[in-house]
Amino acid sequence: MHSSAPQGHGQVRHAPPAPDTGLPVLPELAGLLAAAAGRTDAEPPGGGPVLREAACGYWSRRGLDCHPEDLAAAPGAGPLLTALLAAHGGDVLMPRPCPLGWTPQARLLGRPAYHVPTPAECGGVPDPYALLETVRRVRAEGGRPAVLLLSVADDPTGTVAPPELVREACEAAVAEGLHIVSDETWRDTVHHPRDTVFVSPAEMCPGEVTVVCDLAGSVAPAAWPAAVARFPTGPRAAPHRARVLDVLTALGADLPGPLATALAHALDEPQTLTARTAAATALHARVAAAAHRVVLAAGALALPPEAGRHLYADLGPLRGHLAERGATDSIELEEHLTARLGTPVPGGHRFGDELGALRVRLATTPLLGRTPAERSEALAAADPLDLPHVTEALRALSAALGGDAARTDRADTGEGART
């Protein structure tokens, strides 16, 4: 039920970043960054008051009230997660699959990382019964489970966990004394917000959840490294925040002053930014649905993408076809599809998945076009699927997955049930 991923599976050298919008930086944000370029001071560890006040407004608009003293900012999700794990101590539990950086961050601190299976209908949140069993076994073996990482709107699966599952998993974790770190980077990229209910674990267990958001690629451009954590309110959380600030100070993980100025404006969510976010989300949702149809038509499996700019494909039903092309595990599959598509296609081993499973994360950004002009054209189009370069990109994806040959292979093996 539980084990840390084998050592060879967690390497992230030259790993691709999380999928970004692929769209140009808004002139409004670029102008603010340029105007603040003369600022020579860095933000204090954890971020200055203006940035933290703006982050408070961002979370308050999402039903998570807080105060500036409840927050900490860092130059990227990696340093922030390292500081959070260091502050809490103990062993780390996380769903399988999980975001690319989670396992390496735990190992960097010398902490065991235990991967817990997720239910069939989504990723990002562990099955509650599997979580309890994993905690029991870890303790029986002398371990000290302390932190559960989860992501309701998930990378890599692109799914959104239903509220009842989130509640059950959180209640199980809290009952076992685990502190929950909820990565809500992708919450603003839910494809159909009127039909999808996103509930933060911090709403269910307010005293036991730290919320983190990687601003790079969600609130701000992907090239702007920044992340913010919202700690629980109350005196019990204050020591954890203080230890996080100590670790960030030791790492020299301070936000550049000019970047903080532009980020604070982005967190205030002016209309121009929210309009761009909504348009980009609709664009990626449309293309992700088309990519999902391509994956299923090829005979592979994938849960329908509900958030983000990616989907997670299981090419197990195509194993025979892929073996003929030298792809017998996720490392070889990553190399094969990256070469075929000319864009990074990270294999499941990078996300804590089993090496022998033929799973990959497919990003939608490369399907929008190869140039900024093509991607901007896709954003402006009434239907991006009508554009020749988008159609060609989807056709190339189908061909890389095997097309008619893959469907024949699926029929021969008797596989192909939709997940």
Side-chain angles (χ1 to χ4, degrees), residues 92-114:
V92 184
L93 286 79
M94 59 190 74
R96 182 195 297 272
C98 63
L100 185 147
W102 286 5
T103 304
Q105 292 294 336
R107 290 194 181 139
L108 185 65
L109 295 168
R111 306 277 171 75
Y114 297 95

Side-chain angles (χ1 to χ4, degrees), residues 21-332:
T21 64
L23 302 172
V25 177
L26 281 172
E28 180 178 344
L29 292 181
L32 280 168
L33 183 62
R39 180 180 168 183
T40 58
D41 60 312
E43 292 280 283
V50 174
L51 177 64
R52 288 185 286 117
E53 186 69 41
C56 278
Y58 171 85
W59 267 310
S60 294
R61 289 188 291 274
R62 287 154 181 80
L64 299 177
D65 291 336
C66 53
H67 303 92
E69 58 269 25
D70 301 326
L71 307 182
L80 186 56
L81 182 58
T82 296
L84 284 169
L85 295 181
H88 278 280
D91 301 342
V92 184
L93 286 79
M94 59 190 74
R96 182 195 297 272
C98 63
L100 185 147
W102 286 5
T103 304
Q105 292 294 336
R107 290 194 181 139
L108 185 65
L109 295 168
R111 306 277 171 75
Y114 297 95
H115 295 92
V116 185
T118 55
E121 68 267 26
C122 68
V125 175
D127 176 87
Y129 297 102
L131 175 63
L132 292 172
E133 176 64 11
T134 301
V135 170
R136 184 188 68 80
R137 292 188 180 185
V138 171
R139 286 185 175 140
E141 294 174 3
R144 189 165 64 89
V147 179
L148 171 65
L149 303 178
L150 52 78
S151 54
V152 177
D154 185 44
D155 172 21
T157 65
T159 60
V160 177
E164 58 272 19
L165 171 65
V166 177
R167 177 175 292 280
E168 291 174 5
C170 289
E171 289 178 348
V174 171
E176 293 298 327
L178 304 181
H179 184 77
I180 300 167
V181 176
S182 174
D183 185 341
E184 300 184 8
T185 297
W186 298 101
R187 68 173 296 159
D188 292 338
T189 65
V190 172
H191 293 175
H192 305 289
R194 293 183 179 178
D195 302 322
T196 305
V197 179
F198 180 102
V199 178
S200 170
E203 298 177 64
M204 299 176 171
C205 305
E208 310 295 339
V209 178
T210 297
V211 179
V212 297
C213 180
D214 187 353
L215 304 182
S218 57
V219 173
W224 295 10
V228 181
R230 173 195 177 273
F231 295 84
T233 58
R236 283 203 308 148
H240 287 134
R241 181 178 182 273
R243 286 198 288 272
V244 167
L245 295 183
D246 287 343
V247 176
L248 292 176
T249 301
L251 294 173
D254 301 332
L255 276 169
L259 184 59
T261 299
L263 288 171
H265 180 75
L267 285 166
D268 284 337
E269 298 185 290
Q271 195 277 333
T272 50
L273 187 140
T274 56
R276 162 63 78 83
T277 299
T281 297
L283 169 63
H284 282 275
R286 180 80 170 126
V287 175
H292 182 246
R293 291 193 293 271
V294 167
V295 169
L296 297 183
L301 311 174
L303 289 167
E306 299 173 304
R309 306 154 194 147
H310 52 277
L311 63 154
Y312 199 57
D314 182 352
L315 308 188
L318 314 182
R319 185 174 295 276
H321 168 71
L322 292 167
E324 294 174 359
R325 285 147 183 81
T328 61
D329 60 28
S330 66
I331 295 177
E332 294 172 344

Side-chain angles (χ1 to χ4, degrees), residues 14 53 144 185 332 359 362 371 392:
H14 315 300
E53 186 69 41
R144 189 165 64 89
T185 297
E332 294 172 344
R359 301 188 183 109
L362 298 170
T371 67
E392 179 54 36

